[in-house]
């Protein structure tokens, strides 16, 4: 160790060379495996001209896929937002039996393959599933229909909001909420006037990630959708169908919408990280 330190001191340029090499390696990796494929999506989407690109996006099946994707996200994201806030509140503000189990269950979708989660819903609610005969008897259709897509999407996106809020609320503690309670504030007043302002940026960050995953989910919704054109195909599934039909221009055109969504998500994520970091820095104690 002393020999390495003495060698570093004897070569002043080595201290700057190593960080530069690491940065160059990281940038090269990102260029090769992230930026280049992303650029290829837009290049291939526009290869046959703007007319072909526009025609692929305004095709009735593409419009139906866009509407369905937005509908599924519009249902799944608010439900997971409510669950995430409630779970974070329970995990950080109360002591109860099964707390560790609740934390493990929140993380379960991270450890289970999306395809497996889709198969679970087929096993439960499919025609030959546990509850399938009862659902058929009452003319309720979950699998190969919009409700199945929503259920699968809720499952895979469930942890995002909760896992953004729990560490923050643990670090913040409950001193401000206890002070508000002592001053006579009710539960909802404490939440909307104390808790929510303190977690708003982390909450928006979690909702953003949840929405991006909901719109881009493929594995789970692929299993429960049935691939019914114009009815149960979300944008990722529509891309697969176009690609399998050798309509490469159309597939890349629709894929560019998802890529554009990813870029918007990245921009908003960067903004929220900057704003959230600035707020934490402003609240940090002075003189340290």
């Amino acid at each position: 160790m002393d020999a390495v330190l003495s060698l570093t001191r004897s070569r002043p340029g080595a201290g700057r060379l190593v960080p530069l090499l690491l940065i160059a390696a990281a940038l090269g990796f990102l260029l090769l495996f992230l930026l280049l494929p992303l650029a290829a999506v837009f290049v291939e989407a526009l290869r046959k001209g703007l007319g072909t690109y526009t025609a692929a996006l305004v095709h009735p099946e593409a419009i139906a896929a866009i509407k369905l994707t937005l509908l599924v996200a519009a249902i799944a994201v608010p439900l997971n937002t409510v669950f995430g806030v409630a779970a974070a509140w329970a995990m950080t503000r109360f002591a109860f039996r099964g707390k560790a189990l609740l934390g493990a269950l929140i993380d379960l979708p991270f450890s289970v393959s999306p395809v497996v989660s889709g198969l679970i819903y087929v096993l439960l609610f499919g025609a030959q599933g546990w509850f399938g005969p009862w659902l058929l008897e009452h003319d309720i259709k979950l699998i190969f229909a919009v409700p199945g897509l929503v259920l699968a999407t809720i499952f895979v996106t469930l942890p995002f909001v909760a896992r953004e809020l729990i560490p923050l609320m643990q670090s913040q503690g409950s001193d401000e909420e206890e002070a508000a309670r002592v001053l006579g504030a009710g539960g909802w007043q404490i939440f909307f006037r104390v808790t929510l302002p303190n977690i708003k940026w982390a909450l928006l960050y979690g909702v953003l990630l949840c929405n991006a995953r909901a719109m881009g989910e493929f594995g789970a919704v692929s299993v429960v959708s049935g691939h019914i054109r114009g009815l149960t195909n979300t944008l990722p599934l529509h891309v697969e169908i176009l690609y399998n039909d050798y309509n490469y221009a159309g597939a890349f055109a629709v894929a560019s919408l998802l890529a554009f969504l990813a870029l918007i998500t990245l921009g908003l994520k960067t903004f929220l990280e900057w704003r959230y970091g600035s707020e934490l820095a402003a609240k940090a104690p002075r003189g340290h």
Side-chain angles (χ1 to χ4, degrees):
M1 187 66 176
D2 294 337
V4 174
L5 291 174
S6 62
L7 181 61
T8 304
R9 293 192 190 99
S10 64
R11 299 176 60 187
R16 288 178 294 180
L17 180 60
V18 173
L20 290 176
L21 290 176
L22 292 175
I23 292 172
L27 291 177
F29 187 89
L30 291 176
L31 177 64
L32 181 62
F33 293 102
L34 182 63
L35 297 180
L36 191 59
L38 186 62
V41 170
F42 291 98
V43 170
E44 291 296 326
L46 296 170
R47 181 180 293 276
K48 293 188 176 181
L50 190 59
T52 303
Y53 179 82
T54 305
L57 296 182
V58 299
H59 191 278
E61 291 184 6
I63 297 296
I66 294 172
K67 290 180 178 179
L68 181 58
T69 302
L70 294 175
L71 174 63
V72 171
I75 298 173
V77 174
L79 290 177
N80 274 336
T81 300
V82 173
F83 168 79
V85 173
W89 184 293
M91 291 283 291
T92 59
R93 297 297 184 262
F94 301 99
F96 55 91
R97 289 185 178 181
K99 187 174 181 179
L101 177 61
L102 176 59
L105 291 176
I106 291 174
D107 291 333
L108 182 63
F110 283 148
S111 57
V112 175
S113 168
V115 174
V116 173
S117 66
L119 288 174
I120 290 172
Y121 284 109
V122 173
L123 174 64
L124 291 176
F125 305 119
Q128 306 300 321
W130 293 359
F131 305 107
W134 184 89
L135 293 173
L136 289 175
E137 182 182 344
H138 292 81
D139 196 25
I140 300 174
K141 191 172 184 180
L142 297 181
I143 303 302
F144 306 151
V146 174
L149 301 177
V150 173
L151 288 174
T153 303
I154 288 175
F155 181 89
V156 298
T157 58
L158 182 142
F160 286 96
V161 175
R163 278 304 164 199
E164 289 299 324
L165 294 180
I166 290 174
L168 174 64
M169 295 179 70
Q170 285 177 335
S171 65
Q172 287 179 341
S174 59
D175 293 343
E176 294 184 20
E177 294 163 358
E178 292 294 337
R181 185 175 291 108
V182 170
L183 293 174
W188 289 112
Q189 287 179 311
I190 294 173
F191 175 75
F192 284 108
R193 296 188 180 184
V194 180
T195 305
L196 189 58
N198 286 336
I199 65 172
K200 59 183 178 181
W201 296 115
L203 178 60
L204 287 174
Y205 185 72
V207 169
L208 176 67
L209 295 179
C210 181
N211 182 70
R213 177 64 187 274
M215 289 190 175
E217 174 56 31
F218 177 84
V221 297
S222 177
V223 175
V224 301
S225 74
H227 294 270
I228 305 174
R229 296 188 182 221
L231 293 178
T232 63
N233 281 332
T234 58
L235 278 175
L237 301 183
H238 187 56
V239 171
E240 182 196 29
I241 286 179
L242 292 174
Y243 192 84
N244 290 338
D245 288 343
Y246 301 101
N247 185 358
Y248 300 129
F252 279 105
V254 178
S256 70
L257 285 180
L258 294 172
F260 185 65
L261 170 66
L263 293 176
I264 293 177
T265 302
L266 179 62
L268 291 174
K269 174 179 175 290
T270 303
F271 169 76
L272 290 176
E273 285 179 340
W274 167 78
R275 187 62 186 267
Y276 179 44
S278 300
E279 187 169 298
L280 285 181
K283 290 183 177 181
R286 305 292 182 181
H288 294 283

